[in-house]
Amino acid sequence: MEETSEKLLKLTIDGIETEAREGETILQVAERLLIDIPTLCHWKFVKPYGACRICTVEVEVHGKTRMVPACTYNVRDGIVVQTRSEEVIKHRKMLLELMLARHSQVDVVRKLAHEYGVDTTRFEEMPSEQCINCGLCVRVCAEVVGANALTFVKRGTERYVSTPFEGESETCIACGACAYVCPTGHIKVEDIRGRKYVVSELALGPTTPIHIPFAAAIPGIPVIDAQSCIHMQTGGCGICSKVCEPDAIDYEMQDTFEEMEVGSIILATGFKTFDPARAEQYGYGRLDNVITSLEFEHMSHASGVTGGALVKEDGTEPKSVAILHCIGSRDKNFNEYCSRVCCMYSLKMAHLIREKIPDADIYELYIDMRCPGSGYEEFYNRLLEEGVHFIRGKGVEVSSAPTLATAERAEGKKLYVRCEDTLLGVPRELPVDMVILSVGLEPTADAEEIARVFKITSKADGFFMEKHPKLAPVDTLSDGIFIAGCAQGPKDIPDSVAQGAAAAAAAMSLIDAGEVALEPITSVVDEEVCTGCKTCMVVCPFGAISYDEEKHISVINDVLCKACGCCVAACPSGAITQRGFDDAQIEAELAALLMS
Amino acid sequence: MADITAAEKSPANTAEGIVPFEPKIIGFLCWWCTYAASDMAGTSRLKYPPNVSIIRVMCSSRVDPSFVMRAFAEGADGVLIGGCHPGQCHYISGNYKTVARISLLKKMLSQFGVEDERLRLEWISAGEIHKYAKVVTDMTEKVRKLGPLNWRKNFEPK
């Protein structure tokens, strides 16, 4: 400890001899010694205020005793402090009696008074007020948040807390700090007025500005959301840096861009789920209790917002759940392809619901059950045995009231799912408590941009295209760039892992080989004929053609050339030929075909 | 081309009787899509006319407009160019260049009096084997109706 230069003050608290630094209060010293002094208006992150006086202690200085509030009294050398002397208890009892007269219904006051054996007051009882005028909210807002949105109004017995001019504060950032510190629960954040003060992983449930992005984030390090952090907004607060013992909080940290030189790149940029609000008939975002499969995952997760409990919007357990397959998949209006994973995860959801709510009616509305894979069909059979209702027919509409005369009726607030049961050959309408939309997989929003940056190709559905579906499934047309996972097309976890490993191996083999094999079919420039017009440079999609400033001709880089032959056809002077596909060869083919 | 008469367009009358006119069509097909589609159409046993003779190119953008002119000059009745769908080009943007070139070429051909149906640019992906068969059938029928182009004969010195 390098505190030797600092002058230490000697004092005695309740008979314990101890030392304190200059500027420390009696309360701070007592806290260190685990001596309990009651407080109402104190919070260690705001300046002491001495409003409630409940922390009153007896101090003996140079033989004179005085009653002082422990929170504001700075330690002096040689003082003797009594925190539970008869005189102190008497003082506190009186204070509590006075408080009871005005705040008889405030829990924190009543509880404290009861501890001191004060259950009635000798003073005239006034109508109980919730606010005890401790001023914590005012001080937090001013000192910690820096918003100054709260203040005391009037004086003496008429004093109360309000916003300036009692109007809607313009400086309030709706951080909720006042409500957090309020010891009586008088302040509540009722209306956030569109000001977001929490961030969330999904639409479900709040988190604080400091949070770990998601349950299995790597690295599992908390981040600060700059949009909702009070310090980032007002420069105030900073409490996290005060409580963080390893001093790991860095407000100055900014996003950085690092450039790396690499030999090969694996693109595993993943997917996004289909936004079911695009298919209005399912009522997502419009009807309560219509959720997506990902939101269900979020809810059923043990560390999720509901702690793994399945609940409806009103907090009760759903007794019937419909799982609608192929939302946004196998649909000519959205994506024509099958998203591959939904059948299996829909079965898993049904299994989880059955596990958590054993008597629930669970419906799976499917077009076809697609369960190829190791153990998948067996899992499907298990679900059949678990009593899940499988209806072959896509759910076509979710509404809050039945539309078919033949709809199965039900009591209470229900959702009605319309479908055609193709095995029975009848249209049906199922009353359920909750609808889960098994949304399909789509290319990420920036997939096109990624394809452009890395000069790779995409398929019609927007997923990246492999060089050859069978012979080069992780390669792309750009050498050294590999693709894996759902960036290449919808696939489940085992397939993604397998493809990821394959892409890693392919990238490794390039490193291992130490040299790059090139396509033999490249274009070449005849230096004698090239006029240096640069037409070829404009058309080359791979940037493989450069201009030789000395010779005034175009030069083709054999490594970058992918042999499309575009430049050959564009060359106005016929200076470029493509190996294996030169003009003479193609013309000879033509002549041979047209001989007869 | 004004001197082509109706008689020349109809099936040739020979001593042996009427020999039906079989159009000769040259197909420049992109290796990555339409060529693969034609390959698969064959292995899938699809039935379509045998009138298209294929020349494989790496990309439809390799098709120099002069190849098309030469094909017509050497006796082809039609030319089919097959490329990848827009946005799906294996060479990123080759097919866009093809579109530009072929539309210009079509303008020129129309000035020469060559019917529009004789040059056709189609986007056929490797999986669209039925589209390939349909395009070939349709084009063969259309060119058959148009009759022979007979450029070689018309340009030969009399």
Side-chain angles (χ1 to χ4, degrees), chain A residues 30 60 68 84 119 142 151 162 179 217 233 245 260 284 407 501 519:
Chain A
E60 191 188 324
V68 297
R84 298 196 73 85
D119 291 315
T151 183
S162 182
Q233 283 195 347
E245 281 179 12
M260 280 185 271
Y284 180 75
E519 285 280 338

Side-chain angles (χ1 to χ4, degrees), chain A residues 457-458 460 465 477 539 541-542 562-566 568-570 578 581 583 586-587 589-591 593-594 596, chain B residues 24 26 32 53 55-59 61-62 64 67 70-71 74 76 87-93 97 101 152:
Chain A
T457 49
S458 302
M465 182 148 72
L477 255 270
V539 297
F542 299 97
K562 293 287 166 284
C564 59
C566 186
V568 189
Q578 187 180 14
F581 288 87
D583 286 9
I586 290 179
E587 278 159 16
E589 277 187 72
L590 262 177
L593 288 172
L594 296 167
S596 55
Chain B
K24 212 157 186 32
I26 297 294
W32 299 101
S53 309
I55 294 179
R56 192 189 89 182
V57 284
M58 294 301 282
C59 174
S61 68
R62 174 65 185 94
D64 192 320
F67 295 166
R70 188 175 282 266
E74 293 194 0
Q88 279 190 55
C89 178
H90 255 274
Y91 302 106
I92 299 167
S93 57
K97 283 144 201 161
R101 287 172 192 160
R152 188 156 57 179

Side-chain angles (χ1 to χ4, degrees), chain A residues 226-239:
Chain A
Q227 301 293 310
S228 53
C229 167
I230 293 167
H231 181 76
M232 305 277 191
Q233 283 195 347
T234 67
C237 191
I239 286 173

Side-chain angles (χ1 to χ4, degrees), chain A residues 313-334:
Chain A
E313 306 257 336
D314 61 8
T316 59
E317 208 169 59
K319 285 292 164 209
S320 48
V321 182
I323 300 169
L324 274 56
H325 290 224
C326 298
I327 304 299
S329 308
R330 303 183 71 192
D331 186 335
K332 291 209 166 177
N333 299 309
F334 303 108

Side-chain angles (χ1 to χ4, degrees), chain A residues 362-380:
Chain A
I362 307 165
Y363 299 92
E364 294 260 5
L365 279 72
Y366 65 96
I367 304 176
D368 299 292
M369 285 309 301
R370 297 190 163 175
C371 312
S374 178
Y376 289 10
E377 182 71 14
E378 291 86 334
F379 188 65
Y380 173 45

